[in-house]
Amino acid sequence: MIVVDMINSYEHPDADLLLPSAREALPVLVELLGRAREQGVPVIYVNDNFGEWRSHHGEILETALAGPHAELVEPIRPDDASLFVVKARHSIFFETPLAYLLNQLRVRHVVLCGQVTEQCVLYSALDAHIRHFEVTVPVDAVAHIHASLADAALEMMRRNMGARTVRAKEVDFADGG
């Protein structure tokens, strides 16, 4: 299970548009994370570093928890078993060691959740598909800025990338996602 960009202070230009959707997705994401952890599924947080090139995952988490929307971060904070990859651009694979890590873990199927559906989740799904990973996107565990673009992005993931787009309760980690 990959959690995209949810460790966030929400201090960016589109935050006001993103916040309602993030609040709606949060309880679903909390439940999905709980199920993944109970079943021993690797949980990997892949997060933007917000241009702070000296930062590491601890600092990113501390900054988000000290921000004005810590209530969106605290319930999904990484636990001691979680892995963390810092990214610089939209895709979780671009210039990161994620593909290598997934191969080391013998992962062939990824469940992508987080934000933003029409940006980072979309580009990450494409890059996962290009790398021959199977992709599942729980539609209620991703947050968007623009609903119409998110719907189009989910349709593109289904049609162009063969992604499974399902409700989070339909994600079956026992069958790979």
Side-chain angles (χ1 to χ4, degrees):
M1 181 169 156
I2 300 175
V3 181
V4 181
D5 286 338
M6 288 300 292
I7 309 302
N8 198 308
S9 65
Y10 297 93
E11 295 178 312
H12 49 79
D14 292 327
D16 288 341
L17 296 172
L18 175 60
L19 282 165
S21 182
R23 285 186 181 107
E24 188 175 324
L26 182 65
V28 177
L29 184 51
V30 168
E31 188 275 332
L32 192 61
L33 270 170
R35 282 197 296 125
R37 289 174 173 152
E38 284 172 10
Q39 295 179 36
V41 172
V43 175
I44 305 170
Y45 289 76
V46 183
N47 218 89
D48 196 336
N49 69 359
F50 306 105
E52 299 296 326
W53 290 103
R54 282 181 287 241
S55 64
H56 56 77
H57 75 277
E59 288 176 281
I60 294 169
L61 179 61
E62 288 172 18
T63 299
L65 289 171
H69 300 287
E71 78 282 0
L72 295 175
V73 178
E74 181 60 42
I76 55 163
R77 72 185 304 160
D79 64 8
D80 291 341
S82 300
L83 302 171
F84 202 101
V85 174
V86 177
K87 70 180 183 68
R89 300 293 296 169
H90 296 78
S91 172
I92 60 178
F93 290 96
F94 181 75
E95 301 287 329
T96 74
L98 184 62
Y100 181 81
L101 173 59
L102 293 172
N103 285 321
Q104 289 295 301
L105 295 172
R106 299 183 193 274
V107 170
R108 296 307 320 146
H109 191 150
V110 295
V111 175
L112 298 178
C113 54
Q115 57 194 22
V116 169
T117 309
E118 66 271 29
Q119 295 174 14
C120 299
V121 175
L122 172 64
Y123 304 137
S124 298
L126 175 60
D127 277 355
H129 173 72
I130 289 169
R131 288 167 175 79
H132 304 286
F133 290 98
E134 292 181 50
V135 176
T136 296
V137 179
V139 298
D140 48 348
V142 289
H144 59 268
I145 295 171
H146 302 286
S148 61
L149 294 178
D151 290 343
L154 289 164
E155 182 67 16
M156 288 173 58
M157 289 181 231
R158 273 190 297 276
R159 288 181 184 243
N160 300 344
M161 301 162 214
R164 279 183 64 223
T165 55
V166 298
R167 308 280 302 166
K169 66 182 177 189
E170 298 172 65
V171 172
D172 182 3
F173 292 112
D175 76 359

